[in-house]
Amino acid sequence: MIETGGLIRSLSGRRAARNFHTFVINEIGQSIVTGAFAIGSVLPTDAQMMERYGVSRTVLREALKTLEAKGLVEARPKVGTRVSPRSRWNFFDPLVLAWHFEAPPDRKFYQSLFRTRGVLEKPMVELSARHRTAEHVRLLKYWCHQMETAGDSLEQFGLAALEVHGIIAESSQDLLLRSVIGVVELTLALALTREEAIPASEYRERSAALFVLVAQAIESGNAEAAREHYDATRRLDSEQVLGVQ
């Protein structure tokens, strides 16, 4: 399965090692999300899929079970495996989100991603300002510095930014709010590879500067300031992906 940061690492062309199981899941899942396997269509037969991906029936069946658990497909007796409507997909699943990076641009979907970030991040950053420890603050400052010194490396900048988000989520001490990280990674990957609003280098510079302010506010326990600066980072990402609204 994809680990946190896997999508960001892929921006530089570096792919994690994978086994046959994860390979088939990614190939079929991405084909569904990108529309190569259309919603409502029946997937090719087991024999055709086994030949296409070079895997055994056991590997294929396990992969399809995994995709069914994510809501992407449904196995039907005497019919086959059918691609499910999008309303059944688990959009908080990190893999399902990551596959959308390669999908055709969908403005409404992107807007939904940023709305979700806004709803979940507000309480998360406020809780972080109340519950952060000295170690959380140390890590925030370290990864903010990595953002500032990343230069032209999308991977270094993106991974550092994702670490900052992760530490804020961790320090919030709310298990469910941490689920926003998958959404954050996709929106961050989109922002890093688009220039709808400002040049990429300027975007990274402004983003790093805002996160320094977030870290300072969290360190001082100022929940209101932390929330305001954090919301500014979300708006910056949104503008970079969707353009100035």
Side-chain angles (χ1 to χ4, degrees), residues 55-176:
V55 297
S56 68
R57 187 180 302 275
T58 299
V59 170
L60 176 63
R61 289 289 177 84
E62 288 300 316
L64 291 175
K65 285 181 181 178
T66 299
L67 291 169
E68 188 167 16
K70 297 177 186 297
L72 269 68
V73 299
E74 179 183 5
R76 297 183 177 182
K78 299 182 181 181
V79 175
T81 302
R82 188 182 298 277
V83 179
S84 301
R86 292 186 81 196
S87 60
R88 298 184 184 177
W89 298 3
N90 178 7
F91 283 99
F92 277 96
D93 185 290
L95 265 179
V96 176
L97 286 169
W99 291 328
H100 278 82
F101 182 75
E102 300 293 342
D106 184 338
R107 186 176 184 85
K108 288 186 177 180
F109 177 64
Y110 295 163
Q111 290 172 332
S112 179
L113 287 173
F114 285 109
R115 279 196 298 271
T116 300
R117 273 188 59 177
V119 169
L120 294 179
E121 287 178 335
K122 178 180 177 180
M124 185 177 72
V125 73
E126 290 176 344
L127 288 169
S128 175
R130 297 188 186 119
H131 300 305
R132 80 281 181 265
T133 65
E135 179 63 7
H136 289 138
V137 172
R138 184 189 71 80
L139 289 171
L140 280 176
K141 290 181 176 180
Y142 172 81
W143 288 111
C144 282
H145 179 67
Q146 293 301 306
M147 290 177 69
E148 291 178 307
T149 58
D152 293 329
S153 173
L154 294 185
E155 182 177 344
Q156 181 180 331
F157 182 92
L159 290 176
L162 199 59
E163 288 287 349
V164 171
H165 283 282
I167 294 161
I168 293 172
E170 179 71 24
S171 61
S172 74
Q173 298 184 15
D174 188 303
L175 292 174
L176 291 181

